[in-house]
Amino acid sequence: MRCLIVADLHYSLPQYDWLVAQAPNYDLLIIAGDHIDLSSAVDGRAQIVVINKYLDLIREKTRVVTCSGNHDLDGRDEEGEKTSRWITELNARGLEADDVSIEIDGTLISLCRWWDGPKAQARLAEQLARDAAKPKTQWFWVHHAPMADSPVSWSGSKFIGDTVLKGWVDQYQPDAVFSGHIHQSPFTGAGSWADRIGKTWVFNVGQHPGAPPAHMIFDTEANEILWLSMMGAQSVNLSEPLVRPIPPLRAPPDWFTSGSQARGRTLARNPGLAD
Ligand SMILES: [Fe+2]
């Protein structure tokens, strides 16, 4: 399975256009929260309409899953806690999002809601507890906030990650957690897009303006993840120990270019790829 992973698009329409164009090259697109831009002059309800159109365009080309981020909250639930109704409603529209866990070829992917209060947090805890008991060869989480006390949540001056998530990672030790939220972490000196906590790999794809967005390409057979951004290209092999500093990727791996001229051209054109 080949996955394209992004987060924090924040109503960047050129970035959504890029996703629509790239979608046919992947088996799965993961958007790890923050579709909406709360600081935009465009009304949030209008943004939701447009983004839903984009998600419909993408789903015609590949499977797309997502989770809510803090910018995606558009209402309150019956408990009075902030919630992303429009992200939850994606499930009823045949897309997969918050509170849902999907299984692909034995891999379980838990799509984790943004929790803004104890009830929603408990709901997510129940989802993870249920998923822990399910049979699976690998377990991935899509969770907007990155975990605490890791370079993936370094703000540039301090760690500002999710301490509750850290507890869940320690408890369940999933294979990988895909996040965003702290846009600058991968681009700061002490920050990173990747970290390893015991057997768990944790990621923050990062955010920068313009297309293509910062993104990760995950080939589950090769068990390798490429990270491409304005900082260049790097990769980690999930079967190997993490090496710091993560070395630059100097050429596309064989698995990437084989079988898809389109993917090869895309990576070759990426200005961040070292030559
Ligand atoms: Fe964000």
Side-chain angles (χ1 to χ4, degrees):
M1 176 169 59
R2 192 155 300 170
C3 309
L4 176 63
I5 303 160
V6 296
D8 296 288
L9 300 186
H10 287 294
Y11 199 63
S12 171
L13 300 188
Q15 294 186 350
Y16 281 97
D17 286 333
W18 184 83
L19 288 184
V20 172
Q22 291 296 312
N25 294 327
Y26 297 91
D27 303 304
L28 179 69
L29 168 62
I30 296 173
I31 307 177
D34 269 6
H35 296 264
I36 300 298
D37 179 4
L38 289 177
S39 66
S40 171
V42 180
D43 185 90
R45 291 165 295 187
Q47 292 185 51
I48 291 169
V49 170
V50 172
I51 290 165
N52 273 321
K53 295 285 187 190
Y54 271 105
L55 293 175
D56 285 337
L57 281 175
I58 292 167
R59 71 190 294 199
E60 292 174 4
K61 300 169 186 289
T62 195
R63 189 170 186 174
V64 54
V65 300
T66 190
C67 71
S68 54
N70 50 309
H71 278 245
D72 297 320
L73 307 177
D74 64 335
R76 291 185 183 273
D77 60 19
E78 55 280 2
E79 313 283 355
E81 295 180 356
K82 287 184 180 176
T83 189
S84 179
R85 290 177 304 198
W86 74 275
I87 293 274
T88 305
E89 287 167 1
L90 293 176
N91 290 308
R93 294 180 49 222
L95 292 145
E96 287 131 332
D98 287 1
D99 306 335
V100 165
S101 304
I102 65 170
E103 184 270 333
I104 303 175
D105 299 333
T107 294
L108 186 64
I109 305 176
S110 303
L111 305 172
C112 304
R113 64 166 47 234
W114 178 272
W115 55 267
D116 206 58
K119 297 283 179 14
Q121 181 188 319
R123 193 164 166 178
L124 175 53
E126 290 167 11
Q127 179 185 359
L128 296 176
R130 280 196 308 274
D131 288 351
K134 294 177 181 174
K136 51 192 166 295
T137 55
Q138 286 189 297
W139 191 13
F140 303 145
W141 300 356
V142 181
H143 186 285
H144 182 62
M147 66 169 277
D149 302 332
S150 161
V152 298
S153 60
W154 181 250
S155 73
S157 59
K158 59 183 177 180
F159 294 110
I160 53 173
D162 189 321
T163 55
V164 175
L165 176 66
K166 184 173 187 297
W168 286 330
V169 167
D170 290 341
Q171 179 180 358
Y172 294 118
Q173 298 179 27
D175 294 280
V177 182
F178 302 109
S179 300
H181 187 49
I182 304 174
H183 299 177
Q184 69 274 28
S185 294
F187 310 112
T188 59
S192 183
W193 62 281
D195 193 20
R196 188 169 189 173
I197 312 296
K199 73 176 281 261
T200 303
W201 286 88
V202 294
F203 299 96
N204 174 355
V205 65
Q207 189 267 2
H208 59 62
H215 59 283
M216 297 189 291
I217 299 167
F218 182 16
D219 187 280
T220 58
E221 279 88 50
N223 214 22
E224 184 175 10
I225 296 189
L226 315 184
W227 178 65
L228 298 108
S229 77
M230 65 182 185
M231 288 281 284
Q234 299 178 357
S235 75
V236 293
N237 189 311
L238 276 56
S239 305
E240 299 173 358
L242 173 64
V243 175
R244 291 205 186 279
I246 300 173
L249 182 69
R250 300 207 171 272
D254 290 343
W255 61 260
F256 190 88
T257 49
S258 65
S260 173
Q261 291 184 344
R263 277 195 298 266
R265 285 198 299 272
T266 301
L267 191 55
R269 277 204 307 268
N270 191 298
L273 186 66
D275 51 25

